[in-house]
Amino acid sequence: MSPEPLSRPRIVAAAIELIEREGADAVSMRRIAGELGVGVMSLYNHVPNKAALLDAVAETVLSEIEFADDPDAEWTERVRIQARAFRQIAHHYPRCTMVVVSRQLQSAAGLLPVERALATLRSAGFGGEEAVRILRTFIAYIVGSLLREVGVTPTFAPVHHSQAEIGKVDPVLFPETSSLAAELGACDHEAEFEFGLELLIRAIAVERGRHG
Amino acid sequence: MSPEPLSRPRIVAAAIELIEREGADAVSMRRIAGELGVGVMSLYNHVPNKAALLDAVAETVLSEIEFADDPDAEWTERVRIQARAFRQIAHHYPRCTMVVVSRQLQSAAGLLPVERALATLRSAGFGGEEAVRILRTFIAYIVGSLLREVGVTPTFAPVHHSQAEIGKVDPVLFPETSSLAAELGACDHEAEFEFGLELLIRAIAVERGRHG
DNA sequence: ATTGACGCACGTACACCGTACGTGCCACGC
DNA sequence: GCGTGGCACGTACGGTGTACGTGCGTCAAT
């Protein structure tokens, strides 16, 4: 079937493709082996186990985000760009997003965005402790936004049917929720993301103005 | 073993206890049945399947968060309190947090916090669309924070060993990361959470002052 | 050229998983 | 007294991750 030799990158690529095509639940070692036209146990010559394979998936996805950093730009613009770069994950690999977010990796791929962000913040004049704090705040916001965007978090990212679903809430028990059904049922993820991002950036800008 | 009759709440409680004791991966229908001293298939008389059981777990955990809302307080304080209430989850049910966050539920338990938050924001004078936007921003931040807190997100919530781990990063490839190893290795989750929360609340307060 | 070792694809086997289905008990309404 | 329905339970099937053994191809040293 495939003349090229089995290899770790080929296995990871097959896993990513499978996740995007059929969802993370569909991933099994047998399934991946099938995709590659290969025996199941052959995979274990290149990957120690399934958990490590999923880590590799996360790492690969993470390493593919494209940073277009301009060191001469305002730090606010640089932060914006880095945050948006992260959000690309949800676009390029929507079904992998949960995998990426739900495993913690201490590999280089996971560290590089951290390094960039810290460098940006430090060069903007923030202290070390401050930079770490700000970074953590942004990551929390970004991770939470991605989860909503890929439809995993309970706040009405319309999974394409919720328009109908949402009308069902009892208007006397949940007056606000039901009167805002239209707004809750629709979600322009990009606008939503930008809104919170801008909010955070502005808040941090005034923070910096106050004591530094 | 247990004279009390099997029931859905007893099953859910056993599942929660098991998750907290051994982690979400340890959950299996057989395992839960074992905990209850009961045959596996008996569970299916009360719960349609495992996914529904996990939904029930999420719903139960969510329904146990305690809101101490004071309708007379400033909206900023009310938002603070509601956000902190959510964070209780990570304290009371740390290992369940991922389960809660990773399933979207449209049940009453999931809707009640939404309703409360919307009511608070509307009564503070925000428009409908605005309120929904702000709510989504807060939820993104809170969810992201919880994930970091329960040690699932790749930004160095010290899993209790990372102090050692973190020293390992190459100082020439990752100068900032390695020079800030101490700050990255430690994390006062409460302070961290409060920092971002305050940032968001202040930002929204000025937002409101500007056009409404 | 022969042999040895090693890398790697693969099959088999095992323990565990979710759950469809059938069986039997027991407590209730008629 | 008798049906009936709810519920606990056992068995069984198709799926999972992976430990282990086997055999083949290639390359190194003799």
Side-chain angles (χ1 to χ4, degrees), chain B residues 28-30 41 44 49-50:
Chain B
S28 82
M29 298 305 266
R30 286 166 161 82
M41 294 315 290
Y44 287 88
N49 52 50
K50 188 186 180 182

Side-chain angles (χ1 to χ4, degrees), chain A:
Chain A
M1 181 69 71
S2 16
E4 319 137 88
L6 200 50
S7 72
R8 192 180 148 102
R10 283 206 340 124
I11 293 173
V12 172
I16 291 178
E17 193 192 351
L18 181 59
I19 293 177
E20 287 306 322
R21 186 153 30 90
E22 307 194 18
D25 289 349
V27 180
S28 83
M29 298 306 265
R30 291 180 223 272
R31 204 78 176 57
I32 293 172
E35 298 284 326
L36 291 166
V38 128
V40 194
M41 293 316 289
S42 308
L43 303 178
Y44 287 88
N45 287 320
H46 304 270
V47 159
N49 54 49
K50 187 185 180 181
L53 172 54
L54 290 179
D55 281 345
V57 165
E59 195 174 330
T60 302
V61 168
L62 216 46
S63 76
E64 283 187 20
I65 66 182
E66 297 160 14
F67 289 103
D69 196 11
D70 171 10
D72 297 328
E74 277 278 350
W75 69 268
T76 53
E77 181 62 12
R78 294 178 70 189
V79 166
R80 239 188 302 271
I81 286 176
Q82 290 179 47
R84 289 189 191 129
F86 248 100
R87 202 174 81 93
Q88 287 182 329
I89 297 175
H91 286 151
H92 292 357
Y93 303 100
R95 331 253 321 235
C96 285
T97 303
M98 192 60 189
V99 175
V100 173
V101 148
S102 68
R103 359 207 92 231
Q104 76 244 50
L105 1 141
Q106 60 270 41
S107 68
L111 247 48
L112 193 117
V114 169
E115 174 68 21
R116 278 172 191 268
L118 288 177
T120 302
L121 291 169
R122 301 283 328 236
S123 82
F126 293 102
E129 200 173 350
E130 225 173 359
V132 170
R133 254 213 297 236
I134 293 170
L135 170 60
R136 288 206 176 110
T137 301
F138 272 104
I139 292 194
Y141 172 68
I142 293 170
V143 166
S145 295
L146 291 202
L147 285 190
R148 163 163 42 74
E149 188 153 352
V150 300
V152 88
T153 278
T155 322
F156 303 104
V159 206
H160 267 53
H161 60 283
S162 62
Q163 206 79 327
E165 291 292 340
I166 241 178
K168 300 282 166 64
V169 311
D170 185 333
V172 355
L173 282 171
F174 304 102
E176 299 295 346
T177 306
S178 78
S179 94
L180 292 173
E183 287 84 350
L184 286 166
C187 186
D188 176 343
H189 292 291
E190 172 149 349
E192 213 68 50
F193 182 76
E194 293 291 327
F195 172 77
L197 181 59
E198 228 49 49
L199 220 52
L200 280 174
I201 289 177
R202 273 203 303 271
I204 288 168
V206 326
E207 175 91 352
R208 196 185 62 147
R210 239 205 327 246
H211 63 33

Side-chain angles (χ1 to χ4, degrees), chain B residues 49-87:
Chain B
N49 52 50
K50 188 186 180 182
L53 173 54
L54 289 180
D55 281 345
V57 165
E59 196 174 330
T60 301
V61 167
L62 217 45
S63 76
E64 282 186 21
I65 67 183
E66 297 160 14
F67 289 103
D69 195 12
D70 172 9
D72 296 328
E74 277 278 350
W75 70 268
T76 52
E77 181 62 11
R78 294 178 70 189
V79 166
R80 240 187 302 271
I81 287 177
Q82 290 179 46
R84 289 187 191 130
F86 248 99
R87 202 174 81 93

